[in-house]
Amino acid sequence: MKMSIRYIDNEILIEQGSVTVVEIENKSYFYNVISELYSFMNGEVVDTIKFFDNSSKEIMMTGKIEILLNFFNLQFDSKKYISELTKRISNEVTEEQRDEIIKIFKRLQSIYKKMLNNIDLPLSINSDINIDSISKILKIEIKTKNSLLENLLTIIDLERELKLHKLLYFVNLKQYLHIDELKELYKYAIYNQINIVLIDSQSYGTTLEYERKLIIDNNLDEFMLEYK
């Protein structure tokens, strides 16, 4: 897959087996790229950004990318993740498990109804019980870790299992991870066939293992680097 940005000369190649890194020292360009990607992520049509397959056929990616910028709040509890997890659980639960769970909740309903009868108000309980509604009551949560790297690996796991996005962008991630941690993230994403792109507002020089890099300096000169 290739990503084309109208005001950047080089096409940005995104493919399995490597990690794409874009380092933009020019602040205006950096802001424009991130701003337009956000619009793209939110389902808006952005004329300046296009994606193509290896046959130069355009790929519709609107709403199919995710941008991670705030690494202090990775929002594992987002509606998108929880909704997809609920669907996954509903699809995988066996008939025997479904019957047993509903039986238990009907028992709980019966106890609650008796409690409500003691209150002099017109109260009732929604008797429509299914696995989706039960999952919402139980409030499924994705556990967060103390390590940023471990949380990023969890995001890779979520994307592998739920297939929510075709492309993940990490903005200024290199400010928070050591080189060894970056390599571990790269290897994990490649192994799980999750496409990731790092976009940074400064240049970190030569490429790390697995990286394919585009540097745009303050004068808007572009340099393509590849790990050898």
Side-chain angles (χ1 to χ4, degrees), residues 31 34 41 60 72 85 100 103 128 131 184 190 203 226:
Y31 177 82
I34 301 303
M41 179 180 71
M60 294 295 103
F72 301 96
L85 278 171
E100 182 65 21
K103 182 179 177 182
D128 181 21
I131 294 299
E184 188 172 346
I190 291 168
S203 174
E226 194 164 346

Side-chain angles (χ1 to χ4, degrees), residues 198-213:
L198 274 67
I199 303 181
D200 288 274
S201 57
Q202 66 185 85
S203 174
Y204 289 87
T206 57
T207 54
L208 301 178
E209 188 176 1
Y210 309 109
E211 285 187 346
R212 177 184 283 108
K213 181 184 291 192

Side-chain angles (χ1 to χ4, degrees), residues 25-131:
E25 294 181 316
N26 185 284
K27 296 185 185 301
S28 295
Y29 262 44
F30 175 79
Y31 177 82
N32 287 341
V33 169
I34 301 303
S35 175
E36 289 165 5
L37 283 172
Y38 258 103
S39 297
F40 213 98
M41 179 180 71
N42 293 325
E44 299 175 29
V45 176
V46 180
D47 292 335
T48 53
I49 297 178
K50 294 185 183 299
F51 294 86
F52 301 92
D53 64 16
N54 293 333
S55 302
S56 298
K57 182 180 178 181
E58 187 172 358
I59 306 170
M60 294 295 103
M61 293 281 284
T62 304
K64 295 180 181 179
I65 69 171
E66 179 72 6
I67 301 170
L68 294 103
L69 176 63
N70 183 359
F71 300 108
F72 301 96
N73 180 18
L74 290 172
Q75 296 185 329
F76 288 137
D77 59 347
S78 70
K79 184 178 179 181
K80 188 183 292 186
Y81 279 142
I82 300 303
S83 175
E84 287 300 318
L85 278 171
T86 300
K87 289 179 187 175
R88 177 75 176 268
I89 291 166
S90 295
N91 291 335
E92 295 192 1
V93 67
T94 66
E95 283 299 319
E96 183 180 354
Q97 290 170 330
R98 190 185 306 272
D99 292 343
E100 182 65 21
I101 291 169
I102 290 175
K103 182 179 177 182
I104 291 169
F105 266 79
K106 282 186 175 179
R107 213 176 298 149
L108 284 172
Q109 274 191 336
S110 177
I111 295 170
Y112 253 80
K113 284 178 181 178
K114 289 178 182 177
M115 292 168 55
L116 295 183
N117 287 336
N118 295 324
I119 301 173
D120 190 18
L121 288 170
L123 303 175
S124 65
I125 292 176
N126 187 343
S127 59
D128 181 21
I129 301 176
N130 55 56
I131 294 299

Side-chain angles (χ1 to χ4, degrees), residues 76-78 81-82 85-86 89 135 138-144 158:
F76 288 137
D77 59 347
S78 70
Y81 279 142
I82 300 303
L85 278 171
T86 300
I89 291 166
S135 294
L138 292 175
K139 292 186 178 179
I140 297 168
E141 294 180 351
I142 301 163
K143 293 180 180 178
T144 58
L158 285 167

